[in-house]
Amino acid sequence: MAKHVAVVVLLVLGLVNSSYAGTSVGYYTGKCGSKDVESIIKGIVQARFSYDPDIIAFLLRLLFHDTMGNKKTDGSLLLKGPNSEQTAVPNFTVKGYDLIDTIKEALEQECPGVVSCTDIMVAATRDAVLLAGGIYFDVPLGRYDGKVGLASNVVLPPPDISVANAIAYYGEVGFTDLETIVLLGGHTVGVTHCNVIKDRLYNYKGTQLPDPALNAFYVFFLGNIICQNNDEMFVFLDSPNSVRTVDNSYYQMLLQGMGILPIDNAIAFDPSTASYVQDLANNNDYFLDLFAKVLVKMSLVGVLDEYEGEIRQQCWKTN
């Protein structure tokens, strides 16, 4: 009964449709003997975060790429293999797999075959968001793991996608225009590489000049200090002072012309999205609340049930 009540609440909030009826908040209560599954996950994430705060960026990107790559939150990106999703070009630099494996091993010792790798990924990301300055939020659990993960199935938006195409892309899985802009707020802890943005710094659209929409100081700083002769150098998508904190400073950077990726810069000045960016830049609590809701919504995209998926014994391979 409790499971159905939880799903009805989510339906009313517009966060989930009837195909996700197998998920619920508190799903693992009583399913692992006397052990609290979510507490075990939280403890391991907290231990990792204490010496590796970059794990917040790794987990957010892992969850995003797993879900949006094939429009399913099914842990397919966790699978290894010569043609797996991990071998798709957009996933080359995805990290965090080792933490999911560590958590899985700990849970298998307590209650074998109970907790899916997909749920571990979702709950761990939630816990990392809280540790990095976000708010706590409940996530429905009860997902099953996918049995297929192929590089050929991966379709992710490029960094230079237009605002209109980004809205259409995320709209395919039910995100509103505002939710799309909030989801891009995950760049608050993101990084890219100089080779991704070098055209904006040196030869924008073949002009032999920087992108005029990019802040002039930022062009000098990135072009002459950070990226000069080093295509593989990391570039933060948010302020270096805030890059390990989940907050709204990303949007404040955008309003100063410091959006690193073309899509970041574009949403700040496109008439259809500029007001959203302004509102999010002005109110951190507003961003954190919406970001939590959007992560829950994303985590419920294409969820598999017991007939479509499995509970993997090891996260990197199917049973």
Side-chain angles (χ1 to χ4, degrees):
M1 180 65 178
K3 177 188 296 186
H4 296 296
V5 170
V7 172
V8 168
V9 170
L10 290 168
L11 283 164
V12 171
L13 292 174
L15 294 176
V16 56
N17 62 40
S18 58
S19 66
Y20 308 133
T23 63
S24 64
V25 172
Y27 176 83
Y28 289 107
T29 302
K31 290 183 170 65
C32 192
S34 62
K35 301 296 183 178
D36 185 328
V37 166
E38 293 189 55
S39 291
I40 292 173
I41 295 173
K42 180 181 179 180
I44 296 173
V45 173
Q46 194 165 19
R48 174 67 173 268
F49 185 86
S50 67
Y51 67 87
D52 182 14
D54 288 335
I55 195 64
I56 174 58
F58 300 162
L59 290 174
L60 276 175
R61 192 157 185 251
L62 177 62
L63 177 59
F64 174 82
H65 280 233
D66 180 77
T67 297
M68 299 307 300
N70 66 352
K71 304 298 192 296
K72 295 178 183 178
T73 308
D74 65 350
S76 53
L77 181 52
L78 303 175
L79 295 171
K80 295 181 181 180
N83 299 304
S84 69
E85 290 182 22
Q86 292 185 22
T87 67
V89 173
N91 293 330
F92 281 177
T93 56
V94 173
K95 300 178 182 180
Y97 305 113
D98 61 318
L99 177 61
I100 305 304
D101 289 338
T102 296
I103 296 172
K104 178 63 172 176
E105 290 171 7
L107 288 170
E108 285 296 298
Q109 291 180 4
E110 300 294 344
C111 43
V114 172
V115 185
S116 71
C117 299
T118 310
D119 275 346
I120 291 171
M121 177 178 61
V122 170
T125 302
R126 182 269 312 275
D127 294 334
V129 167
L130 176 63
L131 290 167
I135 62 172
Y136 178 84
F137 53 96
D138 288 319
V139 288
L141 301 175
R143 298 164 189 77
Y144 281 73
D145 298 319
K147 299 177 182 179
V148 178
L150 298 174
S152 57
N153 291 338
V154 175
V155 179
L156 286 162
D160 61 350
I161 189 173
S162 69
V163 173
N165 286 341
I167 287 173
Y169 174 85
Y170 293 106
E172 290 178 0
V173 291
F175 287 112
T176 66
D177 294 6
L178 172 58
E179 289 170 337
T180 295
I181 304 309
V182 172
L183 185 59
L184 287 171
H187 290 173
T188 182
V189 292
V191 298
T192 188
H193 294 87
C194 289
N195 67 325
V196 175
I197 62 166
K198 63 181 181 181
D199 61 323
R200 296 192 72 201
L201 299 176
Y202 309 114
N203 188 26
Y204 182 64
K205 295 186 175 179
T207 62
Q208 300 298 313
L209 296 170
D211 183 347
L214 193 57
N215 180 284
F217 169 77
Y218 228 36
V219 169
F220 176 82
F221 177 70
L222 294 174
N224 293 282
I225 299 175
I226 302 298
C227 293
Q228 191 174 43
N229 302 318
N230 192 346
D231 282 358
E232 295 306 313
M233 189 68 179
F234 286 110
V235 179
F236 297 130
L237 300 183
D238 195 357
S239 165
N241 297 324
S242 178
V243 74
R244 293 181 177 86
T245 303
V246 174
D247 60 15
N248 69 334
S249 65
Y250 159 76
Y251 300 102
Q252 296 169 359
M253 295 280 287
L254 301 190
L255 294 177
Q256 299 174 57
M258 295 183 177
I260 297 297
L261 301 179
I263 183 60
D264 293 334
N265 194 74
I267 63 173
F269 302 104
D270 190 285
S272 67
T273 55
S275 63
Y276 298 140
V277 173
Q278 185 71 62
D279 291 342
L280 292 162
N282 288 341
N283 192 327
N284 189 50
D285 290 341
Y286 177 59
F287 164 66
L288 293 179
D289 179 63
L290 288 180
F291 190 57
K293 292 175 180 176
V294 165
L295 288 181
V296 172
K297 187 169 183 174
M298 182 173 70
S299 77
L300 292 168
V301 170
V303 167
L304 305 182
D305 61 23
E306 59 187 304
Y307 303 105
E308 301 167 305
E310 64 182 9
I311 305 296
R312 291 183 206 143
Q313 296 174 0
Q314 294 177 291
C315 292
W316 58 272
K317 65 177 183 178
T318 62
N319 296 340

